[in-house]
Amino acid sequence: MAGKTKKSEASSSSSRNSSRSSNHREESVVVDYGKNKSSCGYCKSSARSSISHGLGTQSITINDYQDLLDRGWRRSGCFLYKPEMEKTCCPAYTIRLKAGDFVPSKEQLRVSRRMQRFLEGTLDCKRPVESVEDPNASTDTCSRTHLGVSSLAVKESSSNNNEEKDGEENIMRFLSDQVGNVVHACSESGEFPDIQFPKASVKKVSQAKRKILGKGSEDLLYSTNIAFQIAATIKRSLPDQKDGNQGRLLRNITDENGPSPKLIAEKLESFLNQLAKTSGLSVRACNGHLNFYSAAKHASAYESSQTVSVSKVSAASSESKGCSLKNSSENTQVKRRRLEIHLKRSSFDSEEYALYRRYQMMVHNDTPDHVTESSYKRFLVDTPLIFVPPTGDGTVPPCGFGSFHQQYVIDGKLVAVGVIDILPRCLSSKYLFWDPDFAFLSPGKYSALQEISWVKENQAHCSTLQYYYLGYYIHSCSKMRYKAAYSPSELLCPLRYQWVPFAIAKPLLDRKPYVVLSDFSTLQDRESLPPHVSEDVMEVQHDDIGKEDTNDFLMYDDEGMMEPEYGSSDNEQHLASVDVEDGDVSNILIGLTGSRVKFKFAFRPSERSYLEFQLRRYMRVVGEGLAERMVYSLE
């Protein structure tokens, strides 16, 4: 299939679009691939349970693509697809937000503040360090990593009690922040669900407690039970994770009893090794606790009070990951960083490709042979959208309409790229890839906030540009739930294509994966929802979690495409009878050897039967208006 939809590199260049003659009518031309059945990237079903309708295209106008979005379509390169919602295993609802109504959550505000602190130089990054073995660590219950950057030194102090207390509070606050950053990084990378976790709190272990713990605890200084809190939070937030396939995403941190504090602590310890922590301590995960020990084996150093000093951070350390706080008592010069956001037309860029390759392999564990230059171009560079240049008359934004890459550059280094389409009524977010070293800055959430701001700012140049489209929302996929956090969002009804507030849709989707949302669009609040939802408007589907949108984008290939299935079903009859266009197909433009002719003039009546059925199915999925505007190519 990829070969059928692939286009040349020039398809996204300005020369192709600018060279179009003003006398040549720009048009949308599509090839109907019909129904596709494939394995699902979300629920990981072994059956070919993901069902969608596909169209190939080399050119499509921005108005036609906007209308396709508003009927539940989406594009991957030059391939357009729409889930057959009432049949597919994981129904995917188009989700959008009116930018002017956006109200940021506390977490989203924290993301903005974290980036601001990073740019101001009050949030610093450190290099990762190597792990070392601890001979006293039990291999079945504990692991240990040395945190060997020397900016934190624990030493004997002759300070008074207030100074001693301040020093202890400094190190506990510092370690708490480091653990919190690692929890956040685990959530960003998909190791943990994308939910709100409690704040980590590292406490001092008293000398009396060390004596009770016995041999091997002489060097124990601080400890946190954050892994137990994380396990409890996951159980509360995902109460059904043990019963369904949702546990597959959490398999690295769960056992037969559900989320395991022991496994979670070990996962945090491994991230502490990967993200460099600036201390003279070592960390050990022991039976669900994260314990911090003296790197030097001198118990006498801890029989008296300790204090912490935070040393100067080198400029070279700003290129790596992890976060640390600076001591305000040190007279170090703050290193400010510069963030630049560049919007450019979609085209191949070797630096972007290198970043994409690193992101896919490190974050999604893709193998090198699956992250090729050709697949990258097909997925994120090639575009069928016909570019519309700015007009200066208040109808087109200064960048024009079309496909773009939004680059995030910090101090000259490319750290993230957002792939977006800018259309008459919206900015449609397609994909984001970023430098894994910057996971602690939540690049996905930060870029979404920037894209929402872009829409609001550009309404002055194009009054119709009001919405931010976040792609598909699958309620059973925990990694997609962050999309609904951009409030107040709306979901597209899969039958009547009306927009329904997420607050109304959520309790319905909690019950069933497929819902005709417009049947409940008049409900004002959750309290007014019926005690059960009629089987007439919903069907039971598999409820599961999986990877993010990249699975949908990459699942279509020559082997994955099936021959269209033309048999009628009860569901198709239901679709035809409930507010779905099934109009006259005689006016559909057929593309034949370079010519355009209406269907009613293209064939003799005896030759029309088979194609007429295809055209009726095509009209049903794109709508009568689009069916008559776009060219149905048979070339």
Side-chain angles (χ1 to χ4, degrees), residues 205-206 210 213 216-223 291-294:
V205 179
S206 66
R210 294 199 298 270
L213 293 174
S217 301
E218 298 87 352
D219 299 324
L220 176 60
L221 301 180
Y222 306 98
S223 183
N291 295 334
F292 296 88
Y293 297 80
S294 165

Side-chain angles (χ1 to χ4, degrees), residues 390-440:
T391 58
D393 61 0
T395 61
V396 181
C399 62
F401 290 130
S403 300
F404 298 86
H405 286 193
Q406 193 162 44
Q407 298 180 331
Y408 294 79
V409 180
I410 296 179
D411 288 347
K413 178 180 181 180
L414 183 67
V415 299
V417 177
V419 182
I420 61 176
D421 292 328
I422 297 176
L423 303 170
R425 296 192 293 275
C426 75
L427 182 155
S428 175
S429 179
K430 186 176 183 296
Y431 201 66
L432 178 85
F433 52 94
W434 36 268
D435 189 332
D437 287 353
F438 290 81
F440 66 95

Side-chain angles (χ1 to χ4, degrees), residues 56-189:
T57 178
Q58 292 297 313
S59 67
I60 191 165
T61 68
I62 47 102
N63 286 299
D64 287 347
Y65 185 58
Q66 175 73 73
D67 289 346
L68 283 170
L69 283 182
D70 291 336
R71 287 187 65 90
W73 289 80
R74 191 108 171 111
R75 80 174 181 90
S76 173
C78 295
F79 182 75
L80 307 175
Y81 60 99
K82 169 183 165 59
E84 294 203 358
M85 296 285 282
E86 76 286 1
K87 298 178 182 179
T88 192
C89 56
C90 296
Y93 298 80
T94 301
I95 183 170
R96 76 176 187 181
L97 164 75
K98 191 170 185 178
D101 295 340
F102 173 58
V103 179
S105 66
K106 291 182 179 179
E107 169 61 21
Q108 290 156 359
L109 291 173
R110 279 195 290 269
V111 168
S112 294
R113 288 195 296 266
R114 186 185 302 117
M115 175 64 79
Q116 189 60 36
R117 292 199 306 272
F118 177 73
L119 297 176
E120 291 173 350
T122 57
L123 195 67
D124 275 308
C125 300
K126 296 294 172 188
R127 291 188 179 280
V129 292
E130 300 294 329
S131 62
V132 296
E133 294 183 0
D134 176 18
N136 295 323
S138 171
T139 57
D140 58 342
T141 61
C142 300
S143 60
R144 186 167 185 166
T145 298
H146 179 236
L147 305 182
V149 180
S150 61
S151 66
L152 273 186
V154 180
K155 58 184 180 181
E156 291 187 48
S157 173
S158 59
S159 305
N160 58 37
N161 290 336
N162 288 335
E163 291 174 332
E164 293 165 357
K165 183 177 180 180
D166 289 343
E168 291 171 354
E169 290 178 350
N170 282 341
I171 193 169
M172 288 187 290
R173 183 165 54 249
F174 171 80
L175 294 174
S176 297
D177 287 339
Q178 307 319 301
V179 175
N181 289 330
V182 172
V183 172
H184 187 82
C186 286
S187 181
E188 280 288 321
S189 65

Side-chain angles (χ1 to χ4, degrees), residues 41-57:
Y42 297 102
C43 65
K44 304 297 184 183
S45 171
S46 58
R48 299 171 73 83
S49 56
S50 179
I51 305 174
S52 62
H53 197 105
L55 299 173
T57 178

Side-chain angles (χ1 to χ4, degrees), residues 7 9-20 26 60 62 75 342-350 352 376 380-390 396-407 417-422:
K7 61 192 288 190
E9 184 63 23
S11 63
S12 59
S13 69
S14 59
S15 60
R16 171 184 175 183
N17 293 313
S18 62
S19 64
R20 292 176 180 268
E26 294 178 340
I60 191 165
I62 47 102
R75 80 174 181 90
H342 306 299
L343 187 66
K344 59 185 286 287
R345 294 278 303 283
S346 180
S347 61
F348 180 77
D349 181 302
S350 58
E352 288 183 0
Y376 167 70
L380 296 176
V381 177
D382 291 347
T383 174
L385 296 187
I386 300 172
F387 178 70
V388 176
V396 181
C399 62
F401 290 130
S403 300
F404 298 86
H405 286 193
Q406 193 162 44
Q407 298 180 331
V417 177
V419 182
I420 61 176
D421 292 328
I422 297 176

Side-chain angles (χ1 to χ4, degrees), residues 32 34 53 564 566 613-621:
D32 187 5
H53 197 105
Y566 298 118
F613 181 86
Q614 289 180 284
L615 292 177
R616 289 191 182 280
R617 184 192 57 190
Y618 164 71
M619 178 176 283
R620 186 172 295 136
V621 293

